[in-house]
Amino acid sequence: MSSEGFSIKARGLGNNNNMGGGGTGTKCGRWNPTVEQVKLLTDLFKAGLRTPSTDQIQKISTELSVYGKIESKNVFYWFQNHKARERQKRRKISTVDYDHRQDTNLSLSHRHNPCHHQTPPKDTFGGREEEENVIETLQLFPLSKVERANITAASYNEYIREHVNTTVFSTYSSCGAEMEHPPLDLRLSFL
Amino acid sequence: MSSEGFSIKARGLGNNNNMGGGGTGTKCGRWNPTVEQVKLLTDLFKAGLRTPSTDQIQKISTELSVYGKIESKNVFYWFQNHKARERQKRRKISTVDYDHRQDTNLSLSHRHNPCHHQTPPKDTFGGREEEENVIETLQLFPLSKVERANITAASYNEYIREHVNTTVFSTYSSCGAEMEHPPLDLRLSFL
DNA sequence: GCAAATTAATGATTTATTCAAG
DNA sequence: CTTGAATAAATCATTAATTTGC
C-alpha cells in the first residue's frame, strides 16, 4: 500500500508553529464561525435537524457563506459536534433514567427499575426539555426515493489504506460468539 | 408534579433491586428483569452472543438468578426478542428512509463518494438517550427531490483528504453581526 | 490598559460499535 | 463469517476568553 498524497497530522503536541502567521487574510487555522452562522446552525438544530444530508449541508453552507468564509465540512462537523456535546451535556446531568447501558460506570449500581428495553411505540414524546418542537412552517417532507447505497470496495480500500498508514490496529478478531471486552470478561467467566 | 420519582442518585451503592426477589408475591405475571439482569444480557449481546446454546442459556440463567427470579426460557426469549427487535428497528428506519434516503450514486465517481446515511436516533434500546426531537428530514419547501451524495464521518474525511485544498474562497462580506434575525421560517427557506 | 499566561470552548480527527448484505 | 456503511464516542488541537502582572 503505497501511500498517496495524504499527510498525517502530527498528533500530540509538538508541532505548533503559527499557521497563518502573518494573519493577513489567509488564516488557515480553523473555521471560526460568525454569530450569524452559529445562530442559523443552532436554529436548525433546535428545529430538529440532526444529521443533514449532503444536499442540505451544501445549501446551508452556501447560505452561510454570506456571513463569512465557510466550507461544507464545517457544517458537517458542526452538527456532529453539537449533537454529541448536547447529548454529553445531558448525560452528565441526568444520571438517571433507564439503565443506559455501556458507560461501564463502575460505581453505578442501583436502579431497580424494572426497565423494559424496547418501548418503541410512539414513545412518550416531549419530555426532555428540548421542546423546540418543530415550528409550523417547518415541514417534514418525505424526500424522494431511495436507493440503497452501493459502495464499491474502492472506498473501503482507501479507508483502510488511510488507517493502516496511521495506525495499525485492524484487530478484527470476531472469533465466535464472544469478543474481547475488558470489563466484560470478568462477568462472563461463568460461561 | 413535583412527584419527583427520579432524582439524581448519589453514587452510593445502594443496590436494591430484588424487587420481588424470590418471586414472593410479586406481580408474577411474567418475568420482570432487574437492571443487573438486563445489563448482563445486554453485555452478552453486545459481546456478540446472539443465539446461546442450551448450555449457555443454562449458565446465564443460573448466574442471573442471584439478582432475581428467572428461568431459562426467559433468557432464551430475551435473546430471541432482542435480536429480532434490533433488526426490526433497523429495518424500520431503512423503510422510512425510502422516502428520504437518497443515496449516493455511487456509480458516479471512480474514487469514492462521500455518502451519508441518516439514522434517526431511535436507539431506544438500552442506551442512547434520545432527547431532543429528532427529525430525519427537515424541509421547508418541497423543492428538493433528487438528492444524492451523502456524507459520513469516515468517508467525508477521506473525501476531504483527497479533494480538499481548494475552494478556499474568502467571501468576507459581512464582518460583524449587524442585522436582525428574520424569522426562522424565512431564514431556513433555502433548504 | 495591554499582553503574556492560563483556562474554557469548540472545530477537526481518529477509533470503536453496530447492523446488514453478500 | 466476512465485509460494507454509517455513526457516535473519544480524543486531539486551536482559537476565544479570562486572568494576572506590570
Side-chain angles (χ1 to χ4, degrees), chain B residues 35-64:
Chain B
V35 280
E36 288 85 354
Q37 292 175 330
V38 173
K39 180 75 165 57
L40 187 30
L41 288 170
T42 302
D43 283 342
L44 286 167
F45 186 89
K46 286 170 63 180
L49 187 59
R50 307 207 312 180
T51 358
S53 64
T54 306
D55 197 59
Q56 291 176 307
I57 287 177
Q58 189 57 60
K59 288 173 180 171
I60 294 171
S61 180
T62 300
E63 187 68 16
L64 292 182

Side-chain angles (χ1 to χ4, degrees), chain A residues 27-42:
Chain A
K27 200 158 174 194
C28 307
R30 69 179 192 188
W31 173 56
N32 198 18
T34 66
V35 285
E36 289 83 6
Q37 293 175 327
V38 173
K39 184 74 167 59
L40 202 304
L41 289 169
T42 302

Side-chain angles (χ1 to χ4, degrees), chain A residues 31-34 36-37 61-71 74, chain B residues 169-176:
Chain A
W31 173 56
N32 198 18
T34 66
E36 289 83 6
Q37 293 175 327
S61 181
T62 299
E63 186 70 11
L64 292 181
S65 67
V66 175
Y67 303 111
K69 180 182 171 187
I70 189 173
E71 291 176 64
N74 299 136
Chain B
F169 46 82
S170 4
T171 324
Y172 276 78
S173 57
S174 108
C175 37

Side-chain angles (χ1 to χ4, degrees), chain B residues 17-24 26 34 65-70:
Chain B
N17 77 36
N18 259 336
M19 43 119 57
T24 61
T26 13
T34 66
S65 67
V66 305
Y67 300 116
K69 182 181 175 184
I70 189 173

Side-chain angles (χ1 to χ4, degrees), chain A residues 71-88:
Chain A
E71 291 176 64
S72 301
K73 67 173 185 178
N74 299 136
V75 175
F76 173 78
Y77 289 140
W78 190 90
F79 276 95
Q80 288 288 317
N81 283 318
H82 198 70
K83 178 171 56 178
R85 283 165 179 150
E86 279 296 311
R87 192 176 313 167
Q88 192 174 59

